[in-house]
Each structure stands twice: as structure tokens, then as C-alpha cells.
Amino acid sequence: MAPPAPILRMKGIGKQFPGVKALDGVDFRLLPGEVHALMGENGAGKSTLIKVLTGVYDIDSGEIELAGRPVAFPGPQAARQAGISTVYQEVNLCPNLSVTENVVIGREPRRLGRVRWKEARRRAAELLGRLDLHIDVSAPLSAYSPAVQQMVAIARALDVDARVLILDEPTSSLDKDEVAQLFRVMRRLKEQGIAILFVSHFLDQIYEIADRMTILRNGRLVGEYLTSELSQVDLVAKMIGRELADLERLEDRPPAREGAPLVEADGLGRSRAIEPFTLTIREGEVVGLAGLLGSGRTEIARLLFGADHAGTGSLRIGGEPVGLRTPRAAIRHRLAFCSENRREEGLVPDLTVRENIVLALQAARGWTRPIPRRRQDELVAKYVSALNIRPADPEQPVRNLSGGNQQKVLLARWLILEPRLLILDEPTRGIDIGAKAEIQRLVAELSGGGMAVLFISAELEEVLRLSHRVGVLRDRRLVAEIDNDERLTTGALMETIASGAAS
Amino acid sequence: MTVATVPGRRVRVPRRYVPVLVTAALFLAMFAAGGIRYEGFATGQIILNVFIDNAFLLVVAVGMTFVILAGGIDLSVGSVVALSTMVAATLLKQGWSPWPVMVLVLLIGAVLGLGMGAIIHYFEIQPFIVTLAGMFLARGLCYTIGTRSIPIDDPVFTAFAQTRIDLGADMWISPGVVVAAAVVVVAAYTLHYTRLGRNVYATGGNEQSALLMGLPVARTKIAVYTISGFCSALGGLVLSFYMLSGYGLHAVGMELDAIGAVVIGGTLLTGGSGYLFGTVLGVLVLGLIQTIISFEGTLNSWWTRILIGLLLFVFILMQRLITARRR
């Protein structure tokens, strides 16, 4: 049976941002009545493709055809009117208004300018009924759970005669039952012939609901596959960008050590962030965390550092039970956390290198005891040379440094506190290869000196090169803890990520 | 299959009505207490007098309700009221006929509001700052017109001032009250039965979402300041009917009375929640406090301010608790 003609066809789409080629010759098609997953790691170009499709960005090259006719959308409103509706990850509705209004606002049925509420309520109830949702439509939206709010957003998207529905990570804030409910709705819409473009970081969900998938990597098309014909391992390999055969064993792996347990997490968890996990980190040990984006890597780090409150479980540091309610408490126990978003959460771009480096030390001492300038200069000089921060001028504003050097400044800030556990969340992302190697070398040295390190990275090779032990995460669950011995390869690790069980 | 539980069918007051009902209860309690304590207090005319004395405030507070519902604030209203009385008095003195004067005054108010709204939206400046500037500007314009009080002796204006509309049973209202009542009715209809009104609520609820839902946020924001400017000018006209003079020192600090009335009426200062009926109650509560203090006789009139201050504290705390529970 020949497949039906695509409702949407994108050909050779290119989109350039200053300094970055976000999309480069990407082809994409969407058939009516299918759920099509758009896959790729962060920065692969998924959201750019969606924004191009919904008219948020214009394209630099290529063409878009909707139902066989070439189209160009000047804005989101135009795309909607053409039948392309989008529901974003964050529910973009007004919680203070009633469910009815959220569905119909902007298109209320009117007579002589007067809104006909009865008719509006009837229409909202009917649209929600199409999604098998029977709720009181005159209640305010804030009275309902995120899942129902998501459904209301979908109902709103369907109010215009939608032919293409884009769901951009709709499941990230939903629990299991809510996801199941959403999937029922998606199947129903599919039967009605609506083409659904679905983005999710959860592989199981993709395999449950998607018929077909398109994989992007670094702004380029990897390929389009039927979900039934592509195994999870192959999918992960294609997303990360290496065929399993290419993945080699790495040589200089650090020997495993037997230090005293430093941090012991027992059943620590937080609902909707990470399922309860048990993890021990010993002195002088590097524990790597591997998993896809959104699998709960950062969530573990934030729980250990007290940046989020744990819902369940207990934490012991150096054998003593502690309750870390704030990062300040964690710092007092000499934990340090280099966050993933160094621009947003870590560095103060307008302060100088010196000021940024002494910030945490000063905070730990309290503002009433300023660090003498001479001591500041000594400390900063020591770390600028130890980490090879360039330019080696402590009075430069941090904003003028390259990404790699900014990362080193952030590291230096935590290192002068002489932490017992250093948590590094994606310390090498987006920095050049030289700086990367230096940071890796530094991690090895620090653990050699007895510091425990929790190392989070999307690059499996890096995790393998540095870690003594690797925790594997999948769908917000710590699924395996593997000693990094001779047998462990990136291939095995990838399989564990894909299948969810230790091989 | 039902996912969400339908909110209880029991007789339960939806939380969004709670602030308005609290204000209504407060008003009734004050009225009852006054009736017990003072002779000749518990009459319909007492309430009508509150309306007569505060008709201009009610008109201005209606405009303020639009602005606050949309998540903004308008500090310029008192000055625009003063400017309106000043412009009206001056033009009448120069022999203009009263009707074009009224149209011109309303136009000036609306244009001032439009300008401020446009600046707030297109330059993304805090409404507090822009309307503060507008407040100084309008007040300053009053003094460039004249520094003294200008009496109004136009027959149409004096007719507005002196007409008593008899309601029977020894009760009467002034034409200003009729104007205010008309404004309230039109505004309530606009807020609840027109797109503009619903967009005001949506914008105040979450501006970013409203934008992504494809609502005309720019037009809505500019419209609320225009409405507020228009209401201020109309309030100024009602005030000049009441005072029969134009003066740069009229309505000093009135923006705060208006904001106070809106907040006591249960409208959230963060926007998106509240009812015009609450604003009417808010104005009534403020007016009734003044009435009680004048009945008491021994109390300094500044006690009005103290009580209003205390009430505002209570209401803002209450709002905080309500919004905190919602999260």
C-alpha cells in the first residue's frame, strides 16, 4: 500500500544564526494520521525546525509545502490559521481564566460584539469531549492538574481546524497516568487524520506512540526511520553520532579505588524530577553519570547539593546524616556544584576574573570578614596558573573570556573552597578541545588528591575515560551502576541507556 | 472516562468571589454598626450621600480597575482629574459653550492615557514610572494654566451641580451619580461580555501566555490606559459639577484613593482577578468610613486615612494568602 501524500513537506531547510548553522539542508515530511517523533540531542536543531515550521523564524533556504501548496508563514498566527497548531512544553494558558475561556479566547462566539457565554461553554465542552475529557468548563483553569491543563491547551489548538499538531515535549511535567491519558488522546486524533509532530526525550514514550521518526544531529538530517525498524540502540547511536563499531576502548583508565564512603544517598528522590536512587561516592572516587538529556542527571546533582528539596530518602556525608535544605548548607559540608548553565547560574559576567573566583569563598566566610586583597591576589594567581586560565589577567571581566576559560574560572571558584565532593554538570560542553582536555586532566588530578567527583556528561567517552564507576540514568531513574573495568565500553553503556538494564 | 474530579457540587463559594464577599460583609457590618451607634444613620440616603460625595472617585476607580486587572498601575489619575477641572473652568471662563468643553476635556484625558499606554508598551517601561511622569506632567500643566482656583458659573454646569433627582421616599441623587452609575454598567458589560474585557483579564493573568495565545496584547494594554485617562477626565468633569471650580490642587492624592478602593474591592494588584462590583464596594467602604467619622464628631478627619491604611494592610495580606494557597 502506498503511503498517503504528505500533508507537510519541508525541503532543504537552512537556518543560520550568527556564528551557528542551526539547520543545514534538512528535509522533513509529515503524513496525515501519523505520530512523527523528532529526535536529536540538545542543540541538534529540533526546536529551530519547529520554530521555522510555526513561523517564529523565517528560513534562509529551502521550501515548505502544506498540502501540496508552497507556504511561507510570517508569524505564529499565520501558521495557526493555515492549520499548524503548537502546544509548548510550558502550558501557555491563563490560569486565572475559566477552562472555557482558555479554549475559546480570541475566537469567542459573539453576537453584536457580545460574547455568547452559553455557546462558548458548549463549544469548549464539545472540544474537550473530543479528547475524552469531561470536566467543569466554567471552573478556573488553575483548579486542574498540569495534565488537564495540557489537554486544554490541545483542545485550544484543535479549535481552529488543525491539520498538523505540534507537541513540543508535552510529557516532561506529566506523571505516568497523565502520559497514558495524553497518548490515548493522541491516538484518537491520529484516527481523525491529524498529523502529530511529537518531541520527547523519553525513548520509551517515543517507542510507545510514534510511527515514524526523523533524527537530527548538529543541524543536519541523519535520516527518517519507521519506529518499528529502528532499535533503541541504533537510535541512541544515531542521535549521539557514532556507530557502535566506531566506538573504541579507551586506554588510560584510572584504577578503581577503595576510599571511605563520603556521600551516601539512600532512597533519595523527588517526585517528577528523579525516582528514588541509592548512590555512594567514596573519597578520591570519580563517579560518572551517563544518560540522555532529561534522564535525571542534573536532578541528582541538584538533590545532592540541596538546590532542590528531596521528597524521600536520606543523605549522609562522612557517615553522619544531614538534611541539606539549601546550597549554603551543602557548601558548609564542603560540597561544590558547577552547574550546567554557567552563564545563567554560575558566573557574573560583568565582574572580573578575580571577583568571580573569590565570590564563593567570600560567601562562605560571611560578608563581615572581607578577604584581604593580598590573599585574594595570591589565591587567584595560583588558580589562574594552575588551571591555565587565559588571558592570565585577573582584572579582565569574565564576559571577555572564551567558554572554556569561563568554565575554568567557575571551577577555580569552587576549588579554592577545597571541597570534599565536587559536582561537575557538563563541565566540558561547548568548549574547545584543548580546554576540554585540560579540565579532564584536572579532574583526574583532583581525585588523585583525594577529592570525590561526581562527573556528569553527555559524552560517554569522557565519562568512561574519567570515572571509576558509572551510574546510568534513563527516564529519571538510576537504572544501573557499573564498575568501570576492562569490560565496560561505550557500546555497552549505550545499550544500557537504550534498554534500561545492565548488560 | 473522567480525568479530573469535577469541583464539588456542594454549596461552596468559589475562591475568586471570596475577596468581593469579604468586602461586602465588611460594608454591611460597618453600616449596621453605624446604624446601632448613631441616630439617623441607617437610612438609604446615607448610602446615596456616599455615592453623591464620591461619584467622581467611583468613575476614576472604574478606569483604575481596568488598568490593575491588566496588571498595570496608573498614578496619573488624580492629576488628570485636576487638569480636567482646570481646563473646563478656564475655557468656560473664556466663553466657550459647555458641551464642546466637555468633549475636549474627555479627549485630552483619553489622549494622555493613550500616550502613556503606548510608551509603557512599546518602550517596555514600568507603568509605575511612566504614569508617575504623567502625574507630574498633568499637575504641572494645571499650574501653567493658573495657580488660583477658577470658579465656574456656566448655567449647564451649575444645573448639573444643583439638580436633585428625586427617587421617592425622601431620597435623591445628583446627576453625577447617574453618570457614575452609567460608567459602572458600561464598564461591567465591557469587562464580562466583550473581547476587549476578556483580553484585559488574560493579559493581567499572564501576558506572555496571552501573547502566545494570539491575543492583541499591545492593543489591550494601550486600551486600558486610554480608558483610565478617559475615566479620569470624566471624573474631573463630575468633580467640577460637584465643586463648581477648577483648581490645580483638586484631587491631590486621589490616585491613591482610587487604587485603595480597587484593592479593598478585592482586585489583585498583580492583575487578572477581580470584579468591577468589588470596586463599587471599595468606594462605598471608603465613603462610609468618612461618614462614620463625621457622625462620631469628636474624631479628627485624619482618622479616615488611618482606617483606610489599616484596611489596605488587611486586604493586601488577605490577597497574599489567597494567591499563596493557589500555588
Side-chain angles (χ1 to χ4, degrees):
Chain A
M1 188 183 83
I7 175 86
L8 177 83
R9 194 198 290 277
M10 298 172 87
K11 245 186 278 173
I13 301 295
K15 175 74 193 168
Q16 184 111 23
F17 292 115
V20 198
K21 218 162 193 171
L23 291 176
D24 187 8
V26 173
D27 296 337
F28 178 75
R29 61 185 188 140
L30 202 53
L31 309 182
E34 74 165 349
V35 175
H36 193 123
L38 189 58
M39 303 295 296
E41 277 280 275
N42 225 16
K46 285 174 307 195
S47 48
T48 312
L49 189 72
I50 288 178
K51 284 183 174 156
V52 160
L53 180 55
T54 54
V56 178
Y57 299 150
D58 11 297
I59 46 177
D60 296 335
S61 61
E63 52 199 54
I64 306 177
E65 272 178 24
L66 187 66
R69 235 176 283 154
V71 288
F73 303 123
Q77 202 60 20
R80 271 188 82 135
Q81 269 152 17
I84 300 179
S85 286
T86 314
V87 174
Y88 297 95
Q89 177 176 10
E90 301 293 322
V91 178
N92 280 301
L93 297 174
C94 291
N96 60 321
L97 302 182
S98 69
V99 172
T100 302
E101 279 197 77
N102 273 295
V103 174
V104 303
I105 196 164
R107 296 183 297 272
E108 302 96 332
R110 291 186 298 176
R111 183 182 292 143
L112 299 174
R114 184 186 200 277
V115 176
R116 296 160 63 207
W117 285 120
K118 214 168 164 183
E119 166 73 13
R121 277 193 289 272
R122 196 192 55 70
R123 203 160 92 193
E126 183 192 304
L127 279 161
L128 288 166
R130 264 174 83 186
L131 307 181
D132 260 345
L133 196 65
H134 304 283
I135 58 175
D136 177 6
V137 291
S138 56
L141 185 74
S142 57
Y144 294 105
S145 68
V148 174
Q149 296 190 13
Q150 193 94 55
M151 303 291 176
V152 173
I154 293 174
R156 175 174 175 79
L158 295 173
D159 190 19
V160 281
D161 269 322
R163 287 181 288 180
V164 174
L165 180 63
I166 300 171
L167 301 174
D168 189 0
E169 291 206 50
T171 56
S172 55
S173 59
L174 305 186
D175 68 25
K176 230 172 178 173
D177 294 339
E178 293 168 338
V179 169
Q181 157 81 2
L182 176 68
F183 282 2
R184 272 195 294 274
V185 167
M186 283 169 70
R187 289 199 189 93
R188 177 175 280 244
L189 294 174
K190 198 169 98 169
E191 282 163 23
Q192 293 167 5
I194 292 172
I196 300 175
L197 174 59
F198 180 63
V199 178
S200 169
H201 283 296
F202 299 107
L203 296 186
D204 283 347
Q205 294 180 359
I206 299 291
Y207 274 83
E208 187 183 339
I209 192 79
D211 305 304
R212 194 184 288 270
M213 59 177 90
T214 293
I215 303 174
L216 298 180
R217 189 175 66 237
N218 296 331
R220 287 168 180 279
L221 178 71
V222 176
E224 189 201 82
Y225 306 90
L226 283 173
T227 311
S228 52
E229 288 172 3
L230 188 70
S231 74
Q232 295 209 15
V233 178
D234 289 343
L235 169 63
V236 173
K238 284 183 197 308
M239 281 166 63
I240 295 178
R242 286 179 184 81
E243 297 295 332
L244 288 180
D246 299 343
L247 297 167
E248 289 169 42
R249 285 287 323 275
L250 290 148
E251 293 309 316
D252 49 348
R253 191 164 305 170
R257 349 177 127 254
E258 282 298 319
L262 177 66
V263 173
E264 296 161 273
D266 186 15
L268 210 58
R270 177 181 162 87
S271 63
R272 297 200 170 167
I274 178 88
E275 288 184 32
F277 64 94
T278 298
L279 182 70
T280 303
I281 305 173
R282 296 168 186 281
E283 282 172 12
E285 186 182 43
V286 181
V287 176
L289 288 183
L292 292 175
L293 193 90
S295 59
R297 301 179 313 208
T298 303
E299 285 76 2
I300 284 190
R302 290 179 64 88
L303 276 189
L304 290 179
F305 193 59
D308 290 327
H309 288 195
T312 61
S314 63
L315 183 65
R316 303 207 300 175
I317 296 178
E320 282 176 37
V322 291
L324 299 182
R325 303 204 67 79
T326 62
R328 281 181 70 92
I331 292 169
R332 267 203 301 282
H333 285 95
R334 292 175 56 204
L335 265 50
F337 178 33
C338 278
S339 72
E340 192 175 10
N341 310 320
R342 55 178 171 265
R343 295 247 162 78
E344 289 155 33
E345 292 173 16
L347 293 169
V348 187
D350 287 326
L351 293 185
T352 64
V353 171
R354 175 178 56 80
E355 286 163 328
N356 267 291
I357 289 180
V358 298
L359 203 58
L361 182 62
Q362 182 67 74
R365 285 167 62 110
W367 295 107
T368 51
R369 295 167 54 216
I371 307 166
R373 180 60 189 263
R374 179 191 293 234
R375 173 125 180 75
Q376 287 189 21
D377 286 339
E378 275 170 26
L379 276 171
V380 170
K382 180 176 151 202
Y383 281 98
V384 165
S385 74
L387 301 182
N388 196 11
I389 293 172
R390 274 165 308 194
D393 173 10
E395 301 306 317
Q396 276 285 330
V398 154
R399 149 167 62 91
N400 295 351
L401 271 60
S402 72
N405 283 298
Q406 289 187 357
Q407 188 65 46
K408 288 193 234 165
V409 170
L410 194 55
L411 257 175
R413 175 195 290 172
W414 292 111
L415 290 179
I416 60 173
L417 293 180
E418 294 170 347
R420 293 191 288 176
L421 171 67
L422 178 64
I423 303 168
L424 296 172
D425 192 358
E426 297 274 9
T428 60
R429 191 172 70 196
I431 66 179
D432 64 75
I433 199 96
K436 211 175 218 173
E438 274 173 41
I439 284 176
Q440 290 175 359
R441 179 180 52 80
L442 188 77
V443 168
E445 277 175 23
L446 290 171
S447 85
M451 192 185 289
V453 179
L454 183 67
F455 189 84
I456 302 172
S457 174
E459 286 183 44
L460 298 182
E461 289 165 22
E462 191 177 62
V463 171
L464 274 186
R465 185 177 302 138
L466 291 171
S467 313
H468 301 109
R469 223 145 35 85
V470 182
V472 180
L473 286 152
R474 175 193 164 91
D475 296 357
R476 296 185 182 136
R477 209 152 56 81
L478 186 63
V479 291
E481 249 188 279
I482 312 169
D483 282 331
N484 190 3
D485 57 21
E486 296 302 304
R487 292 189 305 277
L488 189 61
T489 60
T490 44
L493 214 48
M494 227 179 241
E495 235 159 79
T496 313
I497 292 174
S499 68
S503 49
Chain B
M1 177 188 64
T2 312
V3 174
T5 49
V6 177
R9 287 264 174 244
R10 288 172 294 136
V11 183
R12 207 182 56 178
V13 184
R15 193 182 294 157
R16 55 199 156 132
Y17 296 134
V18 170
V20 177
L21 291 177
V22 169
T23 310
L26 177 76
F27 173 72
L28 290 178
M30 278 169 54
F31 189 68
I36 292 164
R37 196 168 155 84
Y38 314 110
E39 205 153 310
F41 185 92
T43 62
Q45 189 60 40
I46 284 289
I47 294 179
L48 292 180
N49 282 343
V50 169
F51 275 120
I52 292 167
D53 295 339
N54 292 289
F56 60 99
L57 177 62
L58 182 54
V59 174
V60 174
V62 166
M64 186 67 81
T65 309
F66 275 82
V67 175
I68 292 181
L69 277 177
I73 194 92
D74 188 350
L75 298 180
S76 70
V77 291
S79 304
V80 175
V81 166
L83 181 65
S84 303
T85 65
M86 205 64 187
V87 169
T90 312
L91 291 179
L92 290 172
K93 202 174 166 196
Q94 288 175 0
W96 284 49
S97 68
W99 301 106
V101 168
M102 290 186 205
V103 172
L104 184 69
V105 163
L106 294 178
L107 206 64
I108 291 174
V111 168
L112 275 175
L114 181 84
M116 288 189 289
I119 291 172
I120 288 165
H121 181 77
Y122 288 112
F123 295 95
E124 290 174 22
I125 304 176
Q126 293 290 327
F128 188 96
I129 299 299
V130 175
T131 58
L132 187 71
M135 170 175 133
F136 287 132
L137 176 80
R139 192 68 75 177
L141 281 175
C142 290
Y143 292 118
T144 56
I145 295 173
T147 51
R148 288 158 192 253
S149 174
I150 302 168
I152 295 174
D153 47 17
D154 177 81
V156 175
F157 273 59
T158 40
F160 267 116
Q162 286 157 3
T163 307
R164 285 181 166 213
I165 299 169
D166 202 6
L167 296 182
D170 275 345
M171 294 196 285
W172 62 276
I173 53 173
S174 65
V177 177
V178 177
V179 172
V183 168
V184 167
V185 169
V186 170
Y189 179 85
T190 308
L191 278 178
H192 293 283
Y193 288 102
T194 66
R195 266 193 195 170
L196 172 67
R198 301 325 292 170
N199 290 346
V200 168
Y201 277 89
T203 306
N206 188 335
E207 191 176 327
Q208 206 51 41
S209 291
L211 202 63
L212 281 172
M213 286 162 97
L215 302 180
V217 170
R219 214 192 312 153
T220 308
K221 276 172 77 181
I222 294 171
V224 293
Y225 289 99
T226 311
I227 289 170
S228 179
F230 176 85
C231 284
S232 305
L234 188 57
L237 286 179
V238 174
L239 182 67
S240 53
F241 300 158
Y242 184 76
M243 300 283 220
L244 283 181
S245 69
Y247 190 23
L249 279 178
H250 275 332
V252 171
M254 188 182 161
E255 53 282 344
L256 303 181
D257 282 336
I259 294 170
V262 173
V263 171
I264 290 175
T267 301
L268 285 187
L269 267 178
T270 46
S273 171
Y275 297 93
L276 204 66
F277 182 60
T279 299
V280 176
L281 283 174
V283 170
L284 276 176
V285 167
L286 291 190
L288 206 61
I289 292 175
Q290 287 165 354
T291 311
I292 286 177
I293 299 231
S294 66
F295 261 82
E296 187 65 39
T298 55
L299 283 177
N300 186 316
S301 68
W302 289 104
W303 277 95
T304 319
R305 296 275 149 187
I306 294 174
L307 286 177
I308 293 172
L310 286 174
L311 267 184
L312 272 175
F313 271 127
V314 170
F315 274 80
I316 288 167
L317 280 180
M318 190 178 75
Q319 290 189 357
R320 192 75 228 163
L321 290 176
I322 288 171
T323 44
R325 258 193 305 170
R326 194 177 287 165
R327 291 212 179 95

